[in-house]
Amino acid sequence: MVTKSNETVPGEKCGRRSAVRGAGLLCAAAAAAALLTGCGDDDKDKGTETGAAGTSKAPPTAASATASGGALTEDQSERKELVPKAKVGYDKALSAAVAAVAKSKPVSTELKGPADKPVWETEVATADGSAHTVRVDAVTGKADKAQAKADDADDKRELAGWLDKATVSPEQAAQTATGKTKGTVTSVELDDTDKGTPKWSVDVVTTDDWNKTTYDIDATNRKVLREHVDRD
């Protein structure tokens, strides 16, 4: 029997279906493999960004390193070495310096090294603005001989104006500062604001992290004008 050209043998038809179905399965498998590969790449990328635990990674800061027992900065190390060696506080240093210059008022004091011989470098001035520097031993409290500063007339007049306007004592300014940050006062200095109002700048060192916080305090009303934490 002769078969027409447009007719299909049943066996041939079934074979073609099987081939098509097989090709479809192969395509589906390839697509699934590609999808899985893509997901793997995404997870890998996410792992790079967020870390194995899925939390974002951030570089440790100096503060976090210090809090977790990490290395201190150079300045923090110097404070840690110097501050505990001072047995005499800023207030006693100011009192000793004022006693060394008749009719003077405190202007500034700062704790200086080396750690094996800490001193308070202190400045006092008389009402006319004549300033003197006095080094006070930070262990014994003994004051060296006062040294007059060679300031010009304008500097003396400016300093005299600050002393006249300053109704807040350095001790009161320091109390305001330590009331906000518990620590050791390492510096107090009389200066002025941009508006010409006198201010006390007070440095407070915290002994848990050895950071230094500076407070600018209005010398007429004890208002805190500025606060800055130095974590270096």
Side-chain angles (χ1 to χ4, degrees):
M1 179 178 179
V2 179
T3 305
K4 294 182 180 179
S5 60
N6 59 347
E7 292 180 354
T8 304
V9 179
E12 182 182 356
K13 187 174 183 180
C14 292
R16 191 178 301 159
R17 282 204 200 110
S18 299
V20 172
R21 185 164 51 249
L25 290 173
L26 287 174
C27 291
L35 182 59
L36 289 173
T37 302
C39 292
D41 291 339
D42 289 343
D43 291 340
K44 183 177 180 180
D45 291 341
K46 290 179 180 178
T48 301
E49 294 175 1
T50 62
T55 56
S56 59
K57 293 181 178 179
T61 62
S64 63
T66 302
S68 61
L72 298 175
T73 66
E74 183 177 351
D75 288 346
Q76 289 169 337
S77 297
E78 289 179 357
R79 295 176 196 131
K80 183 178 181 179
E81 186 178 6
L82 176 62
V83 172
K85 300 295 178 63
K87 307 305 179 184
V88 173
Y90 81 95
D91 49 347
K92 291 184 179 180
L94 287 175
S95 296
V98 167
V101 179
K103 298 181 180 180
S104 65
K105 293 182 179 180
V107 175
S108 67
T109 188
E110 182 177 5
L111 183 62
K112 295 279 191 176
D116 60 346
K117 195 175 180 180
V119 297
W120 288 99
E121 291 192 356
T122 308
E123 181 178 327
V124 296
T126 53
D128 64 351
S130 297
H132 294 74
T133 58
V134 182
R135 290 170 60 89
V136 180
D137 192 305
V139 177
T140 66
K142 181 180 179 181
D144 291 344
K145 185 177 180 180
Q147 302 292 326
K149 294 184 67 177
D151 293 332
D152 60 28
D154 289 338
D155 289 337
K156 290 182 180 181
R157 186 162 44 251
E158 182 179 51
L159 181 54
W162 296 349
L163 291 172
D164 184 57
K165 294 177 182 178
T167 57
V168 175
S169 70
E171 292 83 3
Q172 290 174 323
Q175 289 172 3
T176 299
T178 54
K180 292 184 173 294
T181 299
K182 301 299 181 184
T184 301
V185 175
T186 59
S187 177
V188 182
E189 181 179 7
L190 184 64
D191 203 338
D192 70 337
T193 65
D194 294 337
K195 297 180 180 180
T197 303
K199 68 178 181 180
W200 290 104
S201 290
V202 182
D203 289 346
V204 181
V205 172
T206 45
T207 55
D208 57 343
D209 53 16
W210 300 105
N211 290 333
K212 178 180 72 176
T213 303
T214 300
Y215 288 94
D216 287 346
I217 299 170
D218 193 308
T220 64
N221 57 21
R222 295 181 73 170
K223 180 180 179 181
V224 175
L225 306 174
R226 173 179 172 270
E227 176 183 351
H228 173 71
V229 180
D230 182 0
R231 295 187 172 88
D232 293 337

